Amino acid sequence: MKTAIVTGATSGIGQAVAELLIARSYRVIGTSRNSGAVVDPIPGVDYRDLDLTDSSSIRAFVDGIGDLEVDVLINNAGESQCGPLEELPIDAITRLFQLNVFGAVELTQAVLPGMRERRRGKIVNIGSMLASFPLAYRSSYAATKAAIKGFSTAARFELEPYGIDITTVEPGSIDTGLSARRTKYCGPHSPYLRDFTTVIAKLDAKEAEGITAETVATTVLRAVEDKKTLPIYAVGSNAPAVFLAQRLLPRTVLEKFTARAYGLPSKRPSN
């Protein structure tokens, strides 16, 4: 039986991935900040505590696994935030990077020696299409997803000789209820407030009509079970068409399309 670790396995994409892997006869270790408080546990999932913002928690989790052979690692746990770059608190940005990037990297580093020795392993990082198509007021979140994508894309060259595949799954708009949990930083007297409110309202509406967590999980399973893993798997938000447009159209044209789609002004305000 193959063993898979799924971080953030108690809701959304992580929960859906854990369910699929259980159905495929994987042994699944699902992580949560408080595994004892899981409301709707999936039968067969081994829930364990893990706080990716705390290196001691990561070490305790890895020590708890012991000599268990990890075949698959799904780096899914993460948070979302939004706000004008000017108003994002540095400590909030730091925490977001620790959770979405540094914690995932540290956990990956912990499982790689065993995978390398066995000359097999799959690592799937859950990114976002915002890494490829950034959006106003999502700079910090997009930056974390671009960072984890960068780690994946570059490390592929290092790990391939050892039989290890690493990839990124980039969902587009997805209906997981994340919009309600997204941390917002924009003051009531902010000069950005009108545009911020417009963009986030349109973003929330798109997510409400987005693909399901189960659809993303199916793509994750494909990444896990493909004999030759692709560098990126994009799903949702008309991914094939928009990635084609990215290759064919100038960046300035894409920026204008994005601004129009989210209600941003096409001209810069005068001083």
Side-chain angles (χ1 to χ4, degrees):
M1 177 183 293
K2 291 184 177 181
T3 297
I5 296 173
V6 182
T7 66
T10 59
S11 64
I13 296 171
Q15 184 180 43
V17 170
E19 288 176 341
L20 278 185
L21 290 173
I22 286 289
R24 300 287 287 182
S25 298
Y26 282 79
R27 174 182 179 180
V28 176
I29 299 174
T31 78
S32 170
R33 287 196 185 96
N34 183 3
S35 61
V38 178
V39 175
D40 189 18
I42 301 167
V45 174
D46 179 6
Y47 292 98
R48 303 196 186 190
D49 290 346
L50 176 62
D51 181 353
L52 289 169
T53 66
D54 183 352
S55 287
S56 63
S57 176
I58 296 173
R59 288 193 296 271
F61 173 77
V62 172
D63 290 344
I65 293 174
D67 296 328
L68 185 66
E69 295 185 356
V70 177
D71 301 285
V72 177
L73 170 61
I74 312 294
N75 284 313
N76 164 73
E79 290 181 358
S80 182
Q81 67 181 213
C82 59
L85 174 59
E86 184 178 338
E87 299 179 22
L88 290 172
I90 290 298
D91 60 345
I93 297 173
T94 301
R95 173 183 164 77
L96 191 70
F97 267 85
Q98 179 61 52
L99 175 57
N100 289 9
V101 183
F102 304 142
V105 170
E106 189 172 351
L107 183 58
T108 300
Q109 289 176 327
V111 304
L112 277 176
M115 288 182 173
R116 177 171 45 77
E117 290 172 6
R118 295 187 297 274
R119 305 189 75 83
R120 71 177 190 276
K122 289 288 185 82
I123 300 166
V124 180
N125 293 317
I126 306 302
S128 168
M129 279 179 62
L130 285 175
S132 299
F133 304 92
L135 178 63
Y137 306 112
R138 303 305 312 282
S139 58
S140 56
Y141 181 76
T144 64
K145 294 306 184 179
I148 201 68
K149 175 182 178 179
F151 273 105
S152 298
T153 306
R156 286 174 63 82
F157 298 99
E158 307 165 16
L159 302 178
E160 185 178 18
Y162 298 97
I164 303 169
D165 284 321
I166 183 169
T167 187
T168 306
V169 171
E170 289 194 351
S173 296
I174 175 172
D175 183 16
T176 61
L178 184 63
S179 57
R181 303 190 300 272
R182 187 182 298 119
T183 308
K184 298 178 175 67
Y185 297 97
C186 190
H189 304 294
S190 169
Y192 304 97
L193 183 59
R194 184 180 64 180
D195 285 347
F196 171 79
T197 302
T198 298
V199 168
I200 299 305
K202 287 187 175 293
L203 177 65
D204 289 348
K206 288 179 182 293
E207 289 182 349
E209 298 176 352
I211 58 175
T212 65
E214 289 74 19
T215 299
V216 180
T218 300
T219 302
V220 173
L221 183 65
R222 177 188 164 199
V224 169
E225 298 194 336
D226 274 355
K227 290 184 178 179
K228 181 59 179 176
T229 307
L230 302 174
I232 295 174
Y233 293 78
V235 57
S237 296
N238 298 314
V242 295
F243 275 93
L244 177 61
Q246 185 185 57
R247 292 196 296 270
L248 298 179
L249 298 177
R251 170 58 67 177
T252 53
V253 173
L254 290 174
E255 286 181 346
K256 290 180 180 179
F257 284 153
T258 301
R260 186 179 305 163
Y262 285 89
L264 289 169
S266 57
K267 295 182 179 180
R268 292 180 174 86
S270 57
N271 294 328

